[in-house]
Amino acid sequence: MKARLLRLLRAVADAFWVLPAAIILLLAGLALLVVEAQDLDALPSWAPQGWIYGGGDTGARTLLGAIASSTIGVAGTVFSIPIAALTLASSQMGPRLLGAFMRDRGNQLTLGVLLGTFGYCLLVLRSVRGGEDEAFVPALGVTVGLGLAGACTGLLIWFIHHVASRMNVGVVIDLVYRDLLAHMRRLAPESLAPVPADPIDWTAATPVAARRSGYLQQLDADSLVRWAHDRDCVVRLLRRPGQFVMAGAPVALVCGQAEGADDAVWQAIALSGQSGSPADLTFPVGQLVEVAVRALSPGVNDPRTAISVLDHLGAALAWLVPRHLDRDVRERDGVVRVRLHPLGYAELADAMFDLIRENAGGSPSVLLHMLAILTGVASVEPCSARRDILRRKGREVHDEGQAAFVNPCDRDALAAHWRDFLAAAADGDQNRRDSDTNTTRPRGSATMGS
């Protein structure tokens, strides 16, 4: 149940309408408040009298009507143009990046203030009364409306700059890279206790089948640990957040008393029809890779964008050097109760480089730069298991270049980059051996990439 609640809260937080709706309600409440304050003759004493609106009912109606009509018109026009431009830009950067526009707080704030000002002016306008006996002009309300009109003007100028800059592919790559680092900070701690060995023979375990298909978006491991502890059993999940689960396929294994396991597992997970999860490190990686792959397509042919993506992917791997990927066990009272299905370093490296390598055969500059990036990461990576994975990725890039390069100059450059890669890997191994002789390696550090 907690997993479904977290999925709902995330959907609400990412929804485009939540913040604008809150601003509209806030400004509607402000309109009622200033009108009531004027009606009760409770204007604030600190308000400068020279700044308060001093015209009649006709002028108040004209001002409020002009502000209301302008803001609703600007809101419709301003937001239709960027959406059309983003639709065209998605053909180059990928449709999944449109979600960043929907989640952008600046875009939501702009729409909320424009529509909220429209609603504010309508509510204040309805209180304006003419005539000699019952005349009422909400002077404070009109003054606040003029202030909101000025704020909308400034916000409109900022919004145009904001949207124009967000359509730049370099800015998009940097934003997704920051999102990737945020995921890594949550999922890759700097210190990690040794992972207990798994002595269980899972071939005889009871499988738990998924009730429906969808992407695993949220996982409540704590509730699953409590359930397994109460029944003295061990649960092993076969899917991690972000992966697709098919109806009827096993999603978990239970070793021990399996009564009620189906309900317990199903209550601990939440599925969605769309990919992406706060615990899925490959989702922002896939967004970066999609930008690079589309840049390498014949219709776009922009290798510089692919090179920029490789720079950011290499920086992410270098940032991960002192950190571990998420633990694959959850314990209770020192006993392992749940074994997760974590993302390994090899899977992360495959997600980063395979699709780009497969689509870069006709672009020697991209393959050579990929090999240079792997050389840089291998030179700073002390973990032998991770270095073996990087060697495999370097070999794949080298073999791809050997098969694709026709120009002798490109082949010579590939050979030079390959020698640099092997030399960097060899130097790193020697540095690691020297370090091992001087310091005691913590238990479990050899598996930091798992």
Side-chain angles (χ1 to χ4, degrees), residues 293-360:
V293 170
R294 287 178 176 270
L296 293 172
S297 64
V300 178
N301 194 19
D302 182 15
R304 292 298 307 171
T305 296
I307 289 174
S308 178
V309 169
L310 288 173
D311 289 336
H312 286 81
L313 292 176
L317 282 182
W319 187 89
L320 193 62
V321 165
R323 294 174 175 262
H324 305 263
L325 295 177
D326 194 14
R327 295 191 71 193
D328 62 350
V329 297
R330 294 292 186 271
E331 300 174 338
R332 182 75 176 269
D333 297 335
V335 179
V336 174
R337 292 302 179 186
V338 175
R339 288 190 173 271
L340 307 176
H341 185 69
L343 175 69
Y345 190 85
E347 295 173 285
L348 180 62
D350 291 343
M352 286 183 171
F353 298 110
D354 282 358
L355 281 177
I356 301 178
R357 173 181 56 80
E358 293 168 3
N359 288 270

Side-chain angles (χ1 to χ4, degrees), residues 200-210 227 233-238 249-263 265:
I200 300 176
D201 181 14
W202 292 99
T203 57
T206 303
V208 177
W227 178 87
C233 62
V234 182
V235 180
R236 177 185 174 188
L237 293 174
L238 304 179
V251 69
L253 298 175
V254 179
C255 183
Q257 183 180 354
E259 183 180 356
D262 184 74
D263 291 334
V265 172

Side-chain angles (χ1 to χ4, degrees), residues 1 16 44 47 63 123 135 189 192 261 273 285 323 326 356 372 379 389 397:
M1 186 61 66
F16 185 77
L63 281 175
L123 289 175
L192 190 68
V285 169
R323 294 174 175 262
D326 194 14
I356 301 178
S379 65
I389 296 170
V397 175

